[in-house]
Structure formats: C-alpha cells, structure tokens
Amino acid sequence: MLKNEPARAFYGPLQCLAANEQEAIDTLMVTDSLFRSSDLPTRKRYVQLVEDVKGYGGTVHIFSSLHVSGEKLALLTGVAALLRFPMPELEDMAVDSSSDED
C-alpha cells in the first residue's frame, strides 16, 4: 500500500489531527506515554483523538513505551496513522519534531 500510495501514511500530531478532522484515519498508532503525560491538554488531545477514531470505525493500537515498538514510534513523534484514502495535502505540513512527551 505505502509503495503505491505514500499519501496514506503519516506521523506527527498535526498530520494525524488534520486527518482525523476528515475522518480519514483507518489505523491510529500512539504511544502510551502520551496518555500519561503530566500536561493535561496533551493528554486530553490524544484521548479525544483515540475516541474519535474508534467512533468512526477506525482501529487504534496503543504501544507501550517500554517495548521496542513503542520506543521506535516515540522517535517518530509518538503518533502515526494509516489513512482510508490518500491526503497529499498533509505532505506539505511540517512534521512537529518535538514530542508531546514529558
């Protein structure tokens, strides 16, 4: 899929939140550390994102920050999404290199 349609996979909070606004996320991947953030607005943002994706039939995978897969996802901002349809406009958005983790 990614080889033929690279505009269907994105990482970063801005891209994932923008894709969520269009109900485009088929699979959301997020690290558990975003849910344990001491910053309440950050924690609420990701809890709402997960609820939204589940609400419109998407799949959510939460990765432990203690597992190698969670560590690798954390290196990519801690959140990534596979989309139902391509959204090439997201490619132009700058990836937020700073993670929301504490």
Side-chain angles (χ1 to χ4, degrees), residues 29-49:
M29 296 163 279
V30 62
T31 59
D32 65 345
S33 58
L34 293 173
F35 291 102
R36 292 185 283 115
S37 173
S38 60
D39 182 48
L40 187 59
T42 298
R43 193 169 46 219
K44 284 184 175 183
R45 178 176 14 159
Y46 288 104
V47 167
Q48 186 63 53
L49 178 61

Side-chain angles (χ1 to χ4, degrees), residues 1-2 5-10 26 81-87:
M1 172 188 84
L2 296 179
E5 296 181 289
R8 286 185 57 194
F10 289 95
D26 187 44
L82 299 177
L83 309 183
R84 300 175 193 272
F85 50 86
M87 292 186 69

Side-chain angles (χ1 to χ4, degrees), residues 2-64:
L2 296 179
K3 183 177 181 182
N4 297 328
E5 296 181 289
R8 286 185 57 194
F10 289 95
Y11 64 92
L14 295 177
Q15 291 80 357
C16 291
L17 291 171
N20 182 54
E21 289 175 7
Q22 301 296 316
E23 296 186 1
I25 298 175
D26 187 44
T27 304
L28 178 70
M29 296 163 279
V30 62
T31 59
D32 65 345
S33 58
L34 293 173
F35 291 102
R36 292 185 283 115
S37 173
S38 60
D39 182 48
L40 187 59
T42 298
R43 193 169 46 219
K44 284 184 175 183
R45 178 176 14 159
Y46 288 104
V47 167
Q48 186 63 53
L49 178 61
V50 167
E51 289 175 359
D52 289 349
V53 171
K54 286 181 177 180
Y56 58 75
T59 304
V60 175
H61 298 285
I62 299 175
F63 292 85
S64 170

